[in-house]
Amino acid sequence: MHATTSDVNIARQWMLQFGRAAQRAGITIQYCMPDGRHLMQSVEIPVVTHCRASEDYLPGIKSVNNRWNWELGTTSIIFDALEIAPHKDSFYTTEIQLGIEDVREPYSELQSAVASFSTGTRA
């Protein structure tokens, strides 16, 4: 996108247009692991209602950033201040995954509790 290197307003314009299109269609927007600039821009986009506040899910281990997937307290505070509902990434709900060798989720109850207490969407 060459336009982003020559126009400082183009990204804002694109995000606002995205928000207006969603509003016209009667749908909401859910961000997934946005950068700070996206969060701040969401203040002008009322259809942004949810955002993933957790790291990527990896069963039973810490993520690539050495944080547990269920640690979403700090980002949740920021999202709440922006009136965006935080939620965590999806996860395995049982310890042993049928048909998948060497994959265990020993913390499925904790994952479930955190997902239930977050205010975002759940399947």
Side-chain angles (χ1 to χ4, degrees):
M1 282 188 28
H2 178 67
T4 60
T5 63
S6 60
D7 185 343
V8 296
N9 295 310
I10 197 77
R12 177 179 178 269
Q13 180 182 350
W14 181 86
M15 291 185 75
L16 291 173
Q17 290 172 344
F18 185 42
R20 282 193 295 272
Q23 194 165 28
R24 278 195 302 273
I27 60 175
T28 59
I29 296 173
Q30 174 178 304
Y31 289 158
C32 180
M33 297 177 65
D35 289 327
R37 62 184 175 268
H38 303 119
L39 287 174
M40 296 308 292
Q41 186 60 57
S42 73
V43 172
E44 292 186 280
I45 308 169
V47 294
V48 176
T49 58
H50 295 81
C51 188
R52 193 173 105 197
S54 67
E55 297 286 329
D56 287 333
Y57 172 72
L58 297 171
I61 59 174
K62 290 187 176 185
S63 73
V64 292
N65 294 325
N66 204 32
R67 291 184 57 208
W68 291 103
N69 168 260
W70 43 264
E71 293 177 348
L72 49 98
T74 304
T75 50
S76 293
I77 292 169
I78 295 166
F79 293 172
D80 184 63
L82 297 171
E83 298 182 0
I84 299 173
H87 68 93
K88 70 173 296 315
D89 198 6
S90 58
F91 57 94
Y92 291 134
T93 57
T94 58
E95 181 174 352
I96 299 171
Q97 309 307 308
L98 297 177
I100 305 174
E101 293 184 32
D102 300 326
V103 174
R104 295 179 105 57
E105 177 48 82
Y107 310 111
S108 59
E109 290 177 359
L110 175 62
Q111 297 280 358
S112 296
V114 172
S116 296
F117 290 126
S118 75
T119 57
T121 54
R122 287 174 290 287

